[in-house]
Amino acid sequence: MRARWLRRLVLWFAALIALAAGAGFGYESLARQGDGTRHPAPGRLVRVGEHRLHITCTGAGAPTIVLEAGLAESSASWDDIQRGLSGGPRVCSYDRAGYAWSDDGPEPRTAWQAAGELHALLATAGERGPYVLAGHSYGGTIVRVFADRWPGLTAGLVLIDVTDETAGDALKVSRPLLATQFTGYGLLARTGLLRLAGDALVPAEATGLARVHAPVVYGGRSMDAARAEAWSSLESAAQVSATVRPGSWENRPVVVIVPARQPATAVDRARRLATLSGRGRLVVAVTAEHYVQAFQPELVIAAIRDVAGG
């Protein structure tokens, strides 16, 4: 008798979860239809091949600064930095395929693919080079591949706690874990919990536009894009590893930023990365947070201005 009641209880519990999930999916589907009004794209959509990418640019003057976000982030994560750079050169941030306001793009979502789409986006959008490329985390992998493919369009680099392409074993372990994590976040978004919970489920480092437009910025499509990039991380690491050679950045200004309290091996790796340019230098942030641009924005703004000043 007790086993029968336990089975009934489990079935009732499963039915309630299914009902709640169904209601959540329905709510999210209806709410998403109004996102064009509630969460309009800050910039413009530009066609690149068979899909469109969202780009927002401010200011004027050369060289143009291009901001490349990390894994699971978008142009919104650069809001404070882009506003902090106002009054100076042209500054552009954008959403990679699948993120935030951009359309889904072709797979595999490797750094080589993303760099090619960025090149096409800038050309089609009429944003002229040369560019100062600022990349955070996985975004650093993309801008490094870009700089190697189009050195004539690269005026300098700012690399903020960028992914270690030599950590193959760590990437093999983290890849399925990240994919599972992004799948879970996507389910939270698709059942309406992200929209209903407000700030409670928004990452602590999110500021400005990222918080205001969280249902779009961290929505299910964005998490799908992050999962696809995570699964391609080993291929992306191999692609950027192929660009590492003495003097590969010649004499372009390069600033490599690492957070405080890093292991000596991580600092040494960042220092070696800076030496790929005759004008490279290492900067250690005061904050120990991975998102240096969120927790110490003035440092990142100063580094970008320094490199843009040439």
Side-chain angles (χ1 to χ4, degrees), residues 115-209:
E117 290 177 1
L118 173 58
H119 178 261
L121 169 64
L122 293 170
T124 306
E127 300 297 338
R128 297 181 178 179
Y131 311 109
V132 169
L133 305 168
H136 170 248
S137 194
Y138 173 67
T141 298
I142 295 169
V143 299
R144 289 171 61 188
V145 171
F146 185 106
D148 189 71
R149 292 176 68 180
W150 295 283
L153 290 175
T154 304
L157 293 164
V158 178
L159 304 174
I160 307 158
D161 203 16
V162 296
T163 302
D164 181 2
E165 73 278 3
T166 67
D169 291 340
L171 289 173
K172 288 178 183 177
V173 172
S174 65
R175 183 170 62 171
L177 297 177
L178 285 172
T180 302
Q181 175 183 325
F182 294 136
T183 298
Y185 288 163
L187 286 173
L188 289 177
R190 288 190 167 92
T191 55
L193 290 177
L194 174 63
R195 196 180 297 270
L196 289 170
D199 276 2
L201 294 179
V202 176
E205 65 275 1
T207 60
L209 289 179

Side-chain angles (χ1 to χ4, degrees), residues 263-296:
T265 52
V267 177
D268 287 343
R269 173 191 160 271
R271 185 176 289 108
R272 289 194 301 272
L273 188 59
T275 63
L276 295 180
S277 167
R279 296 170 62 193
R281 64 186 180 93
L282 174 67
V283 174
V284 179
V286 173
T287 179
E289 299 289 343
H290 175 54
Y291 288 83
V292 180
Q293 70 272 29
F295 291 91
Q296 200 177 349

Side-chain angles (χ1 to χ4, degrees), residues 80 164 305:
D80 288 347
D164 181 2
R305 283 181 172 157

Side-chain angles (χ1 to χ4, degrees), residues 7 31 44 52 58-59 73 77 87 132 148 157 162 171 176 184-185 199 204 223 233 249 251 253 283 301 310:
R7 284 196 298 271
R44 55 191 172 121
R52 300 171 304 164
T58 54
E73 295 293 345
S77 68
V132 169
D148 189 71
L157 293 164
V162 296
L171 289 173
Y185 288 163
D199 276 2
M223 295 302 102
S233 59
W249 295 331
N251 211 34
V283 174
I301 290 170

